[in-house]
Every structure is written in structure tokens, then in C-alpha cells.
Amino acid sequence: MKETPRYVLALDQGTTSSRAILFNKAGGIVSVAQKEFKQLFPSPGQVEHDASEIWSSQLGVAAEAVAKAGAKGTDIAAIGITNQRETTIVWDRHTGKPVYNAIVWQDRRTASFCDELKAAGHEPLIRGKTGLVIDAYFSATKVKWILDNVAGAREKAAKGLLAFGTVDAWLVWNLTEGKVHATDVTNASRTMLFNIHTLEWDKELLDLFGIPESMLPEVRQSSEIISETAPSIFSVTIPIAGIAGDQHAALFGQMCTSAGMVKNTYGTGCFMLMNIGEQPILSENNLVTTIAWKINGKVEYALEGSIFIAGAVVQWLRDGLGIIRSSSEVEALATKVAHNDGVYLVPAFAGLGAPHWEQHARGTLVGMTRGTTAAHIARAALESIAYQTMEVLKAMEADAGISIKELRVDGGATNNNLLMQFQADILHTKVIRPKVTETTAMGAAYLAGLATGFWKSKEEIATQWEVDHSFTPGGNREEIARWIKGWGNAVKAVKAWAKL
Ligand code: G3P
């Protein structure tokens, strides 16, 4: 008799590591495997990944997670893919080899070209069609850069020999051994080439960037059987049944499934998304409009505030500055001082994202005195994550015309109680941490499990979401207002420098 599969496998391909998690029917984590991979910084402002390493590390952790659980391919009902978004890979359709390294979402090499697009007045067109602001963050200018700078690429692309994809499409291509070239609506909505109203690649934008349509993947729903894995991968074929960009997957994993619900994920960056329902409202406060997901033919939209550096600032304290040996030491170091004593760190290492969108900003430390210590810098680094989140939440409240009553949080840094309490204090909003903070992977698993009947409905899934801790805002409002003003001044200084 055929056994009923017990698990769903989530592949979570992030900016600094590839992870694989097996979930059981109760939404519990059965096994996790994770591998960091190389970050390449060819020159200041440039960030690349080796696309082959993205694939090999992802495949390796998938096998490891399955083995750790003592499972086999037949135990897996479906695979859900979630990924770092915008990161751009162009490969040869015949050899399957990338023609250049993956250009990572944080990469700023196309900032000047983006300035030219703005100066030429393209902002309203691009914003209207894609919901995005013009910024080097999104994929379009990165694809153009590869076509312009890799010898022979433009000619090959014109002949239909090259494929472009965000990381999800690259994984699907490899999981199917080149049979399927597909992405989902959420990832497509981050390319600056996808019309979020018609749900099609936009010909006018493709012309503007000089990108042949033949390079683009087919766009599928976030929850549907996209294909089966090639038999050689897991020795059986497994349906790939869900794809979503990591932030969209986290919104789903947090069960923010009604309009007005908001989550913030603390990863390499911080990404706050608010479900806005079935109409793509454009932000008036420098947020972007994005597709939350498409399930059963129904599209829902979200407003997003993207913060480029959050958890990465702690990595920088470890690897760049060397004041901690491991990221977990940051809380202990930061609590050596009771407050920041006027020291602010604006970690604009990759420019400033929402709500400032200042591509040329760079990291800045202000307010130091002779008494400033490593503890102050660690504290300022942690606080910067919370202040940036506050700016985005305020923009979201202004767009939505409501005061947000609770913020659901997830991601690695949410284990840091000092940060979460500080976050609640400065937001003056309840911050809610769920029991499972792996909501990105969980969201991908849910999307895949829904498409294959592993879970029957959103309602069934919603019963699995549980609160671990609710951080209630406290502190002295006047004092907090002074701190917030200090942060505002630090950001002003960064923006003024960027204009020099
Ligand atoms: O937009 C970039 C985002 O998707 C990256 O997420 O979790 O890898 O920092 P993360």
C-alpha cells in the first residue's frame, strides 16, 4: 500500500544562507539544515553571489534536512520555494551555466543609471505599472547591466539563448534539470518589468530596459503545482507546488491574510508588509506596492517598506568591526550601557531604502564622545534596526490612515528581547512574536501544502499560528520622543552627505 506523505519541504534560499526545513502536518518543524555561502564584494557598493553555489548549497541542505528526519523522498508531499528577492541571475539555456555571478539585491552598481531614468521622467510610468520606485534594488537594471557588460550576452539574448530569473526561477530550473523556466507573481513583482495590474511582463518596460521577452520566465501562481522535480534529485519525483519571495511567504506564514494585518521580518534587512486586499493601492509615503500572493486565481496585494540593512549590521559588528565574536554576543555587549548616550548608527551600507530611497547614502556613526565605547556602538546598531522599522511603520500608518495596533514579527533578531522591547517602546505599538519564528519557510510550506491538499484550507492553517510573547510598549514618552528626534537628525546628516 502507498504510504501517505508526512511532510512538506521548504527551501528557503536567503541572502547569506541556504536553508531547508521539513514541516509536519501540525505545522511543526521536523528538521532544519542550513549552510552559509560566500558573499562577494568585487568593489565598493557591489554585492554578488556565485549562482552555482546558491544551487549546490540549497541542494545540499535539502538532502541534509531529509536525512536528519530519517525521511525519504516518498515522505514528502510537496516542495515550497521561498527566496531572497530581486537578486538577478542570467544563464545560458543550453549549458545551464550562469553567464555572470548573481547580482544581489543590495548591489548599487546601477544607481547612476537609475538617477538617469528619474531625470528622464520615467518615475510615474514605472511606479504606475509596477508599484515600485526607481532604485538599483530591483532586478531590471541588473539584467540590463549584465546584457551591457558581459561579452556576447546581448547578442545571445537577442537570439533567445539566455534565460533570466530571480533565485526561485534558478532553483526551479535546476530542480527540473532545465525543463521548466518559471517564477511566481510575487517574485515577478520585484523585477520592475512586471505589470502588477495586468499580471503580465510589460512590453513598454522591456523596451525601456532593452530586455528581450524571450529571456523571461513563465509567471505562475504562488500556490499551484508548477512542476515535478527531476527523478535524479530525490530519487522520486516531488511536486514543486509553491513559490513566493521570502517576505511574501513570511506574510503568509504569519497568517496576515486579511487587509490591514502587518508583519515585519528581521533578516539581513527588515521588510514590513501590510496586506491591503485585492486592490493595488499606490503609496503616497514612499512605500512600494507589491503582490502578496496569488492563490486559487485570486491576487492580493501588499504595501511594503524595505530596509536594506538590519541583521546585517550585527554581522558587520562581528566581521567588519570585530567587536563581537558571534552575533549572539551583541545583546550582552549592548546591555553594558543603559542607553545610547547620543550615539546613533545609520547603517546605510547599501544606501537607504524605504521611506527615504537615497541610493547614494552610506553608513554613518554620529554623536560619539571620548567616553564612547564598543557597547554604545553595539547598542546604536541594535537600535538602528528598531528606528528604521519605526520610520516604515509611520509611513504605512499614513498610507493606510489608521494607527496600527499590533506588529507581528519574525526572523532571527526577534529572539533578542532587548531589541523587541525597544521596538515596542518606540513604536508605542504591541509587538507580537509567534511560537514559530521560521515564518518565511513556513509560509512557503503552507503555499505548497495548500496546492497539494496536504492542508485543506487557510482556516486550517490559521489554527497553527500561536503567540510566544507579546511585548507591551512602555518607557517615558517624552524621553522616547527625544531619542526619536536624535535618530531623525542622524538620518538628516546621512542624507545631506549623500547629496554632496
Ligand atoms: O528583498 C530582499 C529580501 O528578499 C532579502 O531577504 O531574508 O535574505 O534578508 P533576506
Side-chain angles (χ1 to χ4, degrees):
M1 214 177 70
K2 204 168 171 250
E3 286 170 53
T4 317
R6 298 176 288 165
Y7 308 127
V8 172
L9 175 63
L11 304 181
D12 178 1
Q13 206 303 305
T15 310
T16 53
S17 71
S18 295
R19 294 151 61 72
I21 304 187
L22 269 188
F23 289 92
N24 62 22
K25 211 161 182 141
I29 293 177
V30 179
S31 64
V32 184
Q34 172 165 4
K35 193 167 186 334
E36 287 202 12
F37 55 86
K38 254 189 258 96
Q39 305 293 309
L40 308 167
F41 307 110
S43 53
Q46 300 193 347
V47 189
E48 296 179 359
H49 293 157
D50 175 349
S52 307
E53 198 186 354
I54 288 182
W55 165 238
S56 60
S57 59
Q58 191 60 66
L59 183 63
V61 291
E64 195 184 328
V66 174
K68 269 188 184 169
K72 42 193 189 320
T74 49
D75 289 321
I76 301 167
I79 291 177
I81 296 176
T82 183
N83 56 287
Q84 53 166 322
R85 306 165 304 164
E86 300 96 15
T87 296
T88 298
I89 306 175
V90 175
W91 65 93
D92 184 306
R93 286 184 183 277
H94 290 310
T95 63
K97 297 258 176 302
V99 302
Y100 190 75
N101 277 335
I103 303 187
V104 178
W105 57 275
Q106 297 157 322
D107 192 287
R108 304 274 97 196
R109 77 187 65 190
T110 56
S112 310
F113 176 61
C114 289
D115 289 342
E116 286 168 29
L117 287 172
K118 286 186 213 164
H122 292 301
E123 189 104 61
L125 174 91
I126 291 180
R127 195 161 173 66
K129 287 175 183 260
T130 67
L132 306 175
V133 298
I134 295 178
D135 194 272
Y137 176 30
F138 304 106
S139 317
T141 60
K142 299 179 198 288
V143 184
K144 179 184 176 330
W145 188 92
I146 291 175
L147 294 181
D148 288 346
N149 290 278
V150 174
R154 190 165 282 290
E155 292 71 29
K156 276 188 165 177
K159 291 186 192 145
L161 300 175
L162 298 187
F164 150 70
T166 39
V167 169
D168 55 311
W170 172 239
L171 295 181
V172 169
W173 176 274
N174 282 289
L175 284 166
T176 61
E177 291 182 339
K179 284 209 178 64
V180 180
H181 183 209
T183 186
D184 89 304
V185 283
T186 68
N187 279 292
S189 76
R190 314 298 299 181
T191 58
M192 217 154 80
L193 298 169
F194 192 67
N195 189 315
I196 60 169
H197 310 277
T198 63
L199 305 178
E200 283 169 351
W201 297 117
D202 192 280
K203 298 213 171 16
E204 199 177 352
L205 295 180
L206 290 172
D207 285 349
L208 179 65
F209 292 104
I211 297 172
E213 194 164 359
S214 61
M215 291 182 78
L216 301 174
E218 184 193 343
V219 184
R220 309 289 291 264
Q221 300 194 57
S222 320
S223 176
E224 69 168 73
I225 298 178
I226 287 128
S227 177
E228 302 220 302
T229 56
S232 60
I233 311 255
F234 295 102
S235 54
V236 291
T237 57
I238 303 173
I240 303 168
I243 305 181
D246 51 9
Q247 305 312 321
H248 316 251
L251 189 70
F252 197 70
Q254 285 275 28
M255 285 289 108
C256 292
T257 49
S258 343
M261 296 180 80
V262 192
K263 73 88 202 178
N264 193 34
T265 300
Y266 298 75
T268 311
C270 247
F271 300 89
M272 193 186 295
L273 271 74
M274 177 197 269
N275 184 323
I276 54 170
E278 293 173 48
Q279 294 308 319
I281 305 160
L282 286 189
S283 169
E284 284 170 14
N285 293 280
N286 287 327
L287 302 175
V288 303
T289 307
T290 197
I291 297 181
W293 45 70
K294 184 176 180 189
I295 304 174
N296 289 333
K298 196 173 102 182
V299 176
E300 287 179 54
Y301 293 88
L303 278 179
E304 171 173 334
S306 328
I307 296 163
F308 297 151
I309 301 287
V313 73
V314 178
Q315 274 179 341
W316 175 73
L317 295 181
R318 184 192 66 190
D319 306 334
L321 218 52
I323 61 172
I324 50 174
R325 272 165 309 169
S326 77
S327 300
S328 57
E329 288 177 12
V330 68
E331 188 170 354
L333 179 59
T335 44
K336 282 192 179 160
V337 287
H339 37 74
N340 69 4
D341 288 329
V343 177
Y344 291 91
L345 170 60
V346 183
F349 304 145
L352 282 173
H356 306 289
W357 299 106
E358 179 46 78
Q359 306 191 92
H360 302 285
R362 289 296 176 264
T364 305
L365 194 54
V366 299
M368 285 184 293
T369 63
R370 186 63 185 78
T372 298
T373 64
H376 288 103
I377 296 175
R379 189 163 189 113
L382 278 185
E383 290 183 357
S384 75
I385 301 173
Y387 283 122
Q388 294 182 94
T389 296
M390 173 201 70
E391 291 178 324
V392 169
L393 189 103
K394 295 293 159 219
M396 223 162 241
E397 290 186 326
D399 268 340
I402 51 166
S403 136
I404 291 163
K405 293 283 170 289
E406 63 170 53
L407 179 67
R408 295 186 175 190
V409 296
D410 57 85
T414 57
N415 293 326
N416 188 317
N417 291 329
L418 171 75
L419 173 61
M420 289 301 106
Q421 186 56 55
F422 184 73
Q423 185 73 85
D425 294 348
I426 62 163
L427 290 180
H428 205 43
T429 296
K430 211 188 278 172
V431 169
I432 298 184
R433 181 171 65 198
K435 280 214 170 107
V436 178
T437 50
E438 296 286 1
T439 43
T440 299
M442 204 166 182
Y446 283 153
L447 290 166
L450 269 181
T452 49
F454 188 79
W455 289 291
K456 298 282 171 270
S457 63
K458 277 199 268 187
E459 291 67 34
E460 179 190 348
I461 289 171
T463 60
Q464 299 182 351
W465 188 89
E466 285 180 275
V467 175
D468 166 56
H469 194 87
S470 175
F471 295 86
T472 309
N476 175 316
R477 299 312 310 159
E478 269 176 35
E479 191 180 28
I480 292 173
R482 270 202 308 281
W483 298 343
I484 292 175
K485 192 158 179 249
W487 168 260
N489 289 340
V491 171
K492 266 189 216 147
V494 170
K495 288 169 85 172
W497 179 88
K499 298 266 181 272
L500 291 177

